[in-house]
């Protein structure tokens, strides 16, 4: 298999087995239609981008039944408000300027720009409609070069482009990057936030690998890929959300080079250009599976889960953990409740039953929201799935 970005032969480092679409929660009468995809992880020795092998069609993932709503976490709402403040106070968005968010989900971020010229681009119709009903201007499309041309025709070029936890999802990376470069004004900036490959390696959080996330970037890989597409990585910051994220600030390449000292820190501390790091990671993943299964067997089917995350799909299907080991998973998202988890078919129940049931041993699948969730129950033995 060749790299989707630079066409170099990829090196495989991890096999997570056959996995269903990570966010496709099922009604009990719909199980026969479920499809599985081989989840293998690859490393590109040329542009250093980590990517998955087999991918479902994008329309089968992002449609009118997309199950993740950005607004489900109060902490994330605050996080997006702070990003909006940084853009406004840092004068990145001039008076009368134009901001575009690609992958705008239910509008959680763009609601901070009500009075400004803004546009969300979001392919999943249900979340997009939520944003529009709340007064956010949106285009219900998959972003690529052609859509960038259309946006430019109608609205003009953007001063600020934002992608948070969306760029890794867009399989047509070459077309997307060409589109972003076209859409960005000569003085414009693109701010992209995503799960940081270095944090995934350090925590061995292999549950971040699922078929919605096609690509994973290190600082080195992002910098290299930007250069290939005529852009410059100008600044990067570590962000403490989703288990360790990175925020990349990118401009056109003819803008003055960065003198940001932190950039050198990333270059010094990362060592993700070498394949053996990934081979070692794969060994640790196998150990983690063993440890998790031992814990589950010891509880003899009396455990429950909290947070029906996309990440849980990877762990449950890789470890083959079903209702014999985890009875149910509690979650706040209405569209997930009353359905079954992808692949292993564990019932998803409303979070308010959590207090009533008062479970003792709870697998925290939404471990990235631990601070927010720990407040919801006392005397619980929380178990990490990874
Ligand atoms: O990139 C992606 C990330 C950012 O979000 C997506 N591809 C899909 C999604 O991944 P995830 O499902 O792993 O994300 P979360 O944010 O870890 O999901 C949290 C889940 O837990 C949601 O279903 C909501 C639920 N939840 C809850 O039940 N009680 C969340 C909180 C904060 C709570 O208190």
């Amino acid at each position: 298999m060749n790299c989707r970005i630079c066409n170099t032969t990829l090196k495989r480092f991890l096999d997570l087995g056959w996995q269903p679409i990570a966010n496709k929660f099922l009604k009990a009468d719909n199980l026969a239609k479920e499809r599985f995809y081989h989840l293998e992880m690859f490393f590109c020795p040329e542009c250093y981008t980590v990517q998955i092998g087999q991918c479902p069609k994008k329309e089968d993932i992002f449609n009118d039944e997309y199950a993740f709503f950005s607004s489900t976490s109060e902490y994330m709402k605050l996080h997006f408000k702070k990003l909006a403040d940084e853009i406004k106070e840092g004068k990145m968005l001039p008076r009368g300027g134009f901001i575009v968010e690609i992958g705008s989900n239910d509008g959680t971020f763009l609601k901070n720009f009500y009075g400004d010229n803004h546009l969300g681009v979001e392919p999943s119709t249900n979340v997009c409609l939520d944003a529009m009903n709340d007064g956010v201007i949106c285009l219900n499309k998959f972003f690529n070069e052609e859509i960038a041309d259309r946006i430019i025709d109608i609205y003009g070029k953007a001063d600020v482009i934002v992608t948070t936890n969306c760029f890794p999802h867009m399989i047509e990376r070459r077309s997307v990057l060409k589109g972003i470069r076209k859409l960005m004004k000569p003085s414009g900036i693109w701010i992209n936030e995503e799960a940081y490959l270095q944090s995934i390696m350090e925590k061995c959080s292999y549950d971040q690998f699922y078929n919605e996330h096609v690509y994973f970037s290190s600082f080195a890989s992002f910098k290299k890929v930007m250069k290939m597409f005529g852009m410059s990585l100008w600044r990067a910051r570590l962000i403490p959300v989703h288990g360790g994220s990175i925020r990349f600030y990118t401009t056109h390449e003819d803008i003055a080079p960065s003198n940001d000292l932190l950039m050198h820190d990333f270059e010094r501390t990362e060592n993700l250009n070498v394949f053996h790091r990934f081979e070692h990671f794969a060994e640790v993943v196998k150990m983690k599976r063993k440890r998790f299964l031992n814990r589950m067997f010891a509880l003899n089917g009396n455990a429950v889960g909290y947070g029906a995350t996309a990440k849980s799909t990877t762990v449950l299907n890789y470890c083959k953990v079903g209702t014999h080991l985890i009875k149910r998973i509690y979650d706040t998202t209405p569209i997930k409740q009353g359905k079954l988890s992808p692949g292993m078919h564990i019932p998803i129940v409303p979070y308010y039953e959590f207090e009533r049931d008062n479970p003792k041993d709870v697998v925290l699948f939404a471990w990235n929201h631990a601070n927010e969730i720990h407040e919801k129950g006392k005397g619980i033995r929380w178990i990490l799935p990874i």
Side-chain angles (χ1 to χ4, degrees), residues 23 25 62 66-69 72-74 76 164-166 169 207-208 210 212-213 242 306-312 330-333 336 351 365-369 372-373 376:
N23 257 321
F25 294 82
F62 305 105
Y66 188 57
F68 180 73
F69 290 68
T72 44
S73 159
E74 289 306 316
M76 288 306 292
T164 64
N165 303 304
C166 160
H169 302 58
D207 57 350
Q208 297 276 15
Y210 47 87
E212 245 174 52
H213 289 169
H242 290 302
Y306 193 99
T309 57
K311 295 182 285 292
S312 70
Y330 299 87
D331 196 283
T332 50
T333 318
K336 296 180 183 176
Y351 72 101
F365 289 114
W367 53 266
N368 46 313
H369 299 293
E372 206 169 332
I373 292 171
K376 298 187 176 169

Side-chain angles (χ1 to χ4, degrees), residues 184-201:
M184 188 161 63
K185 275 189 185 165
S187 59
I189 185 163
W190 168 32
I191 301 175
N192 170 45
E193 191 174 300
E194 60 181 72
Y196 183 28
L197 187 58
Q198 172 88 340
S199 309
I200 295 175
M201 289 290 133

Side-chain angles (χ1 to χ4, degrees), residues 321-381:
V321 167
T323 46
H324 61 302
L325 293 173
I326 292 186
K327 280 193 256 191
R328 64 189 79 89
I329 302 174
Y330 299 87
D331 196 283
T332 50
T333 318
I335 197 173
K336 296 180 183 176
Q337 296 163 0
K339 293 191 180 153
L340 302 173
S341 74
M344 297 314 294
H345 306 159
I346 300 174
I348 313 300
V349 297
Y351 72 101
Y352 50 75
E353 292 182 9
F354 190 69
E355 226 169 84
R356 183 200 68 192
D357 295 349
N358 194 24
K360 284 286 155 286
D361 295 288
V362 185
V363 181
L364 185 56
F365 289 114
W367 53 266
N368 46 313
H369 299 293
N371 291 343
E372 206 169 332
I373 292 171
H374 281 174
E375 293 166 10
K376 298 187 176 169
K378 304 267 176 282
I380 289 169
R381 284 187 291 266

